[in-house]
Amino acid sequence: HMKDYDASERIGQLAILLLEKFQSRKYTSYVHCCVFGCIRGWNGHIKMSIEPLLSGYQIGMQTGDIQMAMFNAYMYLVDNFISGQLHLAAFKKHLKVFGEQMVEYKQMVFHHLLRPIEQVVSNLLFSTGEPLLLIGRDKEQECILNKAIEQNNRFLAAQMFFFGCVEAYIYGDYELAVNFAQKRHETGFDVLFYGMTDFFDGLSFLAMAHQSGDQKWILSAKKSISNIDYFAKICPSNCEHKLLLLQAEIKSITGEAKEAISKYKLAISAAERNEFIHEQAIANERAAEFFLRYGDSSRAAHHYGEAQSLFLKWGAQRKVDDLLMSIAL
């Protein structure tokens, strides 16, 4: 069952017009949270919601609507991460400031939701040797997750599994990535994040298909791809490159080399055009692996170089170090 994104966008626009007409600051934080936190990113580039969410936070703090202010702050941080708009070092500072405020104002629900994001960001930024995968190495994380499962807080559990999947996939631990994806599905609560969830699910399943040769992973990936296909029709700027990269990976698995090359190229240029620097980096890394499998080491080297410089531009120093250590050129 797919939702009516056009209708929700029209209602959202009406809510914003009414806010402006009646100059009602009392409801601003609530309306911004609903419109820019839940609706706008399906119909327009995620980055367009970032400033309004920040303003929803600021106005909520001024009018004393602390809970809504913190909800805006949480969505502001999520949108920044999933759109890759901020350098990770700057983003980490934002996480710290908002996290401390959440504790100060006893908004622990939102504070817990930030923990998995903080963990992934730290593990992308800092180079301390082996990748620190999300759950299992961090006692506080594990404690929050166990509590979430005990209290049937499916949203928090699903979010922890989602960010765990992102980190595991970026570091090439595909078995762990699909494990997290499957655990998230078991919660029965899906955090969609404007197509990013289906994107990483699909990529993880296809990586397992490459690794194991088992066709069942392609079937799992096809569900994610059909969701992304739908999202890309509504809002190409968030999902067009995601769809193209998933299609490239499928073509690569089925041995359609010419089509795969064309799709990788299109995915990389669409990610660049839509300013998803981290996903452009991932597309280059996948293209590099493809050329390496086909014995074209000079094109592989070009795409690995691109991936490194893009990951570095995003701030993911540890991922760059990991790439340098693992590249088989």
Side-chain angles (χ1 to χ4, degrees):
H1 170 66
M2 287 296 184
K3 298 153 191 74
D4 189 342
Y5 294 104
D6 280 344
S8 60
E9 173 65 21
R10 285 195 297 276
I11 294 164
Q13 285 174 355
L14 181 61
I16 298 293
L17 285 171
L18 290 169
L19 262 189
E20 286 165 3
K21 183 174 163 65
F22 296 109
Q23 294 289 298
S24 178
R25 283 171 68 79
K26 184 181 164 190
Y27 299 109
T28 300
S29 189
Y30 182 79
V31 171
H32 276 223
C33 184
C34 294
V35 175
F36 299 104
C38 306
I39 297 169
R40 184 57 55 84
W42 290 110
N43 296 282
H45 197 298
I46 304 164
K47 69 176 182 182
M48 305 310 286
S49 297
I50 290 172
E51 283 310 312
L53 286 165
L54 186 58
S55 126
Y57 154 76
Q58 290 160 340
I59 293 169
M61 293 304 284
Q62 290 159 10
T63 59
D65 193 349
I66 305 300
Q67 193 175 9
M68 269 303 131
M70 293 307 175
F71 205 152
N72 275 278
Y74 158 71
M75 289 305 303
Y76 164 79
L77 292 165
V78 165
D79 282 7
N80 258 306
F81 181 77
I82 65 180
S83 63
Q85 291 292 307
L86 268 183
H87 186 282
L88 289 173
F91 181 62
K92 192 174 166 66
K93 287 179 186 160
H94 286 249
L95 279 168
K96 187 174 185 292
V97 169
F98 285 115
E100 284 168 356
Q101 260 201 344
M102 286 164 182
V103 173
E104 186 188 335
Y105 286 93
K106 300 185 172 53
Q107 297 291 319
M108 297 314 288
V109 169
F110 299 115
H111 187 253
H112 288 336
L113 285 169
L114 291 192
R115 285 294 296 128
I117 309 176
E118 284 169 358
Q119 184 86 6
V120 175
V121 170
S122 288
N123 292 343
L124 286 165
L125 268 171
F126 303 119
S127 208
T128 57
E130 58 172 330
L132 263 171
L133 286 156
L134 194 70
I135 296 161
R137 305 274 175 91
D138 183 301
K139 289 293 163 242
E140 188 194 346
Q141 282 288 82
E142 207 149 3
C143 180
I144 293 171
L145 177 64
N146 290 337
K147 210 174 269 184
I149 292 166
E150 260 168 50
Q151 296 167 352
N152 198 27
N153 183 345
R154 294 180 306 153
F155 182 65
L156 176 55
Q159 179 161 312
M160 293 182 85
F161 290 133
F162 166 69
F163 285 106
C165 172
V166 170
E167 186 185 332
Y169 177 80
I170 287 175
Y171 281 112
D173 190 335
Y174 303 130
E175 278 183 40
L176 187 60
V178 296
N179 181 22
F180 282 144
Q182 285 161 341
K183 281 184 171 164
R184 196 192 71 251
H185 283 295
E186 284 160 22
T187 67
F189 194 106
D190 247 345
V191 282
L192 296 172
F193 292 142
Y194 310 123
M196 192 179 183
T197 308
D198 279 300
F199 181 54
F200 276 92
D201 279 6
L203 286 174
S204 303
F205 295 144
L206 292 173
M208 283 302 288
H210 265 301
Q211 210 165 281
S212 67
D214 191 335
Q215 291 299 301
K216 74 168 184 187
W217 296 113
I218 294 183
L219 290 174
S220 304
K222 282 192 170 162
K223 188 178 184 304
S224 303
I225 294 172
S226 106
N227 289 345
I228 294 273
D229 188 24
Y230 180 82
F231 300 147
K233 286 185 175 78
I234 308 166
C235 184
S237 60
N238 292 330
C239 289
E240 173 192 17
H241 64 281
K242 293 177 171 70
L243 179 63
L244 287 163
L245 181 56
L246 289 166
Q247 289 170 339
E249 288 283 89
I250 285 262
K251 297 289 182 196
S252 166
I253 290 166
T254 53
E256 297 167 79
K258 209 171 154 193
E259 290 86 346
I261 292 169
S262 159
K263 294 281 186 186
Y264 283 124
K265 210 170 162 183
L266 288 168
I268 290 163
S269 64
E272 181 175 20
R273 187 169 61 250
N274 297 322
E275 297 174 40
F276 283 81
I277 191 169
H278 48 342
E279 292 172 1
Q280 189 188 346
I282 289 169
N284 271 288
E285 191 184 353
R286 293 295 80 84
E289 288 168 358
F290 168 84
F291 285 117
L292 204 55
R293 278 196 297 275
Y294 277 84
D296 188 337
S297 56
S298 75
R299 280 211 270 187
H302 164 73
H303 285 290
Y304 275 129
E306 286 289 298
Q308 280 171 29
S309 81
L310 289 160
F311 276 125
L312 202 56
K313 213 168 156 188
W314 185 36
Q317 177 65 54
R318 186 194 209 143
K319 169 62 184 173
V320 173
D321 295 347
D322 187 65
L323 258 180
L324 288 168
M325 277 160 51
S326 62
I327 288 173
L329 280 174

